[in-house]
Amino acid sequence: MNILVTGGIGYIGSHVVKQLSENKDLKIVVIDDLINNNFSTVNTLEKLFLKENFEFIKLNLNDFEEVEKIFKKYSFFAIFHFAAYTQVIESMKEPIKYYENNTLNTLNLVKLSLKYKVNKFIFSSTAAVYGNVHKQLIEENEVCNPINVYGKSKLLSEEIIRDSAKANKDFKFIILRYFNVAGASLDNSLGEIHEPETHLIPLVAQTVLGKREKVQIYGDTYPTEDGTCIRDYIHIEDLASAHIQALEYLKEGNDSDIFNCGYGYGFSVKQIIEMMQKVSNVRFNIEVVEKREGEPTVLVANSNKIKNKFAWSPKYNDLELICKTALNWEKKLMSISK
Ligand SMILES: NC(=O)c1ccc[n+]([C@@H]2O[C@H](COP(=O)([O-])OP(=O)(O)OC[C@H]3O[C@@H](n4cnc5c(N)ncnc54)[C@H](O)[C@@H]3O)[C@@H](O)[C@H]2O)c1
């Protein structure tokens, strides 16, 4: 059974490919343009597979003709679509870049999926589609009102997928809206590599290790207990296993659906910093700076739906473990780059 994974060399995609490698009946074809220069991830993944079960194709999804050749060559059973740009601030400065890569390339991929009858489409969406929701826990049926271009580019992609499914009864999708993904694989073989890094937990880990001078807190006057933003951090291994369950769910003949991926509780920026200080036993400089445009105050998932409908229950919902695995991974990256 052939599975296409776009962005399968990235942080989340690579963890999913690793978990997919456990099923020896699958052939995984990864398209990725290596925008984060994570060549080492390609080697790590190649080692998990028999030669005939894995193919990495370095290609940009905007090369529609080449992408179509891949669809022609393989008869895919399902697609996991991870490839996207992911930086909120950048998206506000360069909207076209985000609409092109995140939305237009998704449109093309859906078009090819319909043309080549690839009827299972699993899409990486984001809690950023919700915008500023003034509720403790966000449910999937919440009105989406994204406040940054990144979130809008993903919501438009969702609409393309949903409308295509409405018009083509065989085409089924699962949209997974990730909250904040963090940590590294427990065996420390894979982790987060972003150029530049913008996520809080790796930034704090890099500061612990002296790679950065200080941690910046973007605003401490939000209406939360300690004034900093609150996010729902999900361990990457739990998120990856949600994807395996999403594929199973579609294989079982269930209908298309949208699921939040989070644990259902959040931590503030200050709580993350404190946890990193605890696990590392290192004190470091912290600076409070201006709020960033486009940042909702609280983003926490109501995760009942995924827990009820998928055979999924989180195993690593432990902030200490998340921070430890993130720190171990950063240590490894630093030792390799020395
Ligand atoms: N990391 C998070 O916390 C988070 C949260 C919510 C949603 N998401 C979504 O999850 C997905 C994966 O995120 P990630 O953190 O793994 O990002 P990532 O940058 O680590 O991985 C994305 C991968 O896609 C590839 N890519 C991007 N555009 C491409 C293109 N046009 N052609 C070919 N390859 C391309 C990159 O080379 C990269 O390897 C994204 O769709 C993102 O929007 C991530």
Side-chain angles (χ1 to χ4, degrees):
M1 209 189 280
N2 299 331
I3 309 274
L4 176 63
V5 183
T6 75
I9 306 302
Y11 173 43
I12 300 166
S14 63
H15 284 81
V16 174
V17 170
K18 180 170 181 259
Q19 291 194 11
L20 287 168
S21 75
E22 288 164 21
N23 182 344
K24 304 298 174 207
D25 296 331
L26 301 180
K27 165 145 190 168
I28 308 299
V29 177
V30 168
I31 299 179
D32 197 299
D33 205 22
L34 300 182
I35 58 171
N36 298 304
N37 296 318
N38 35 358
F39 300 95
S40 62
T41 308
V42 180
N43 294 329
T44 306
L45 293 178
E46 273 171 352
K47 285 184 194 140
L48 297 173
F49 289 89
L50 293 171
K51 208 172 180 322
E52 61 273 21
N53 286 9
F54 182 74
E55 184 171 348
F56 165 62
I57 302 167
K58 186 182 176 321
L59 179 68
N60 198 300
L61 287 180
N62 65 12
D63 190 339
F64 297 164
E65 277 176 27
E66 284 302 312
V67 176
E68 175 152 16
K69 282 185 196 161
I70 297 166
F71 272 80
K72 256 187 207 153
K73 181 171 172 194
Y74 295 98
S75 165
F76 290 116
F77 177 73
I79 297 180
F80 288 92
H81 178 34
F82 295 96
Y85 293 136
T86 62
Q87 293 176 42
V88 170
I89 306 293
E90 186 185 58
S91 77
M92 305 297 279
K93 292 180 185 149
E94 297 183 67
I96 298 300
K97 179 174 170 180
Y98 276 70
Y99 289 123
E100 262 176 5
N101 196 27
N102 296 4
T103 314
L104 185 58
N105 289 344
T106 300
L107 184 145
N108 189 53
L109 213 57
V110 171
K111 197 166 145 189
L112 289 173
S113 301
L114 296 173
K115 182 166 173 189
Y116 291 91
K117 305 207 174 345
V118 186
N119 286 328
K120 295 175 182 56
F121 197 97
I122 298 167
F123 178 64
S124 298
S125 192
T126 167
V129 297
Y130 292 115
N132 240 328
V133 178
H134 300 286
K135 275 191 190 157
Q136 288 282 333
L137 298 173
I138 303 174
E139 285 176 30
E140 288 84 350
N141 58 8
E142 189 57 56
V143 176
C144 289
N145 194 8
I147 59 169
N148 54 57
V149 172
Y150 167 61
K152 287 184 197 171
S153 72
K154 286 286 182 172
L155 185 59
L156 282 172
S157 306
E158 285 193 8
E159 282 168 10
I160 291 165
I161 296 166
R162 275 186 279 177
D163 288 341
S164 301
K166 264 186 217 155
N168 299 275
K169 68 172 178 34
D170 293 334
F171 180 74
K172 304 283 180 206
F173 67 81
I174 295 289
I175 290 171
L176 297 174
R177 291 181 179 155
Y178 315 154
F179 282 63
N180 279 53
V181 192
S185 63
L186 295 197
D187 64 6
N188 210 23
S189 64
L190 292 170
E192 197 160 356
I193 307 176
H194 289 124
E195 279 298 334
E197 188 53 76
T198 56
H199 294 131
L200 177 65
I201 290 184
L203 287 176
V204 181
Q206 290 171 7
T207 314
V208 166
L209 299 173
K211 197 172 162 188
R212 289 175 190 273
E213 249 178 55
K214 60 193 169 198
V215 174
Q216 291 188 318
I217 297 179
Y218 294 99
D220 65 353
T221 56
Y222 285 92
T224 61
E225 209 163 292
D226 65 20
T228 63
C229 288
I230 293 177
R231 296 287 180 270
D232 184 337
Y233 292 89
I234 176 170
H235 190 274
I236 181 68
E237 299 261 30
D238 279 334
L239 181 68
S241 69
H243 289 75
I244 307 298
Q245 292 308 322
L247 181 60
E248 287 306 312
Y249 189 78
L250 289 181
K251 266 162 91 178
E252 285 162 10
N254 291 300
D255 224 341
S256 301
D257 214 334
I258 301 179
F259 295 91
N260 282 340
C261 296
Y263 289 147
Y265 51 83
F267 293 97
S268 72
V269 173
K270 283 189 180 163
Q271 285 175 316
I272 298 294
I273 291 173
E274 280 160 17
M275 181 56 83
M276 238 358 158
Q277 285 176 331
K278 182 181 160 200
V279 302
S280 65
N281 211 12
V282 172
R283 293 282 166 273
F284 44 83
N285 295 328
I286 298 162
E287 182 188 23
V288 178
V289 293
E290 284 284 288
K291 286 181 181 178
R292 289 191 294 202
E293 198 188 343
E295 286 287 359
T297 306
V298 180
L299 279 177
V300 178
N302 178 326
S303 51
N304 290 341
K305 188 171 171 185
I306 190 168
K307 286 177 189 154
N308 293 338
K309 288 202 169 188
F310 283 6
W312 181 80
S313 56
K315 287 194 192 138
Y316 310 109
N317 41 353
D318 170 357
L319 185 63
E320 191 163 341
L321 178 85
I322 290 176
C323 289
K324 274 186 186 159
T325 55
L327 189 58
N328 285 344
W329 173 251
E330 287 298 334
K331 280 183 191 159
K332 181 174 165 181
L333 284 183
M334 274 183 79
S335 69
I336 295 169
S337 66
K338 267 181 194 162

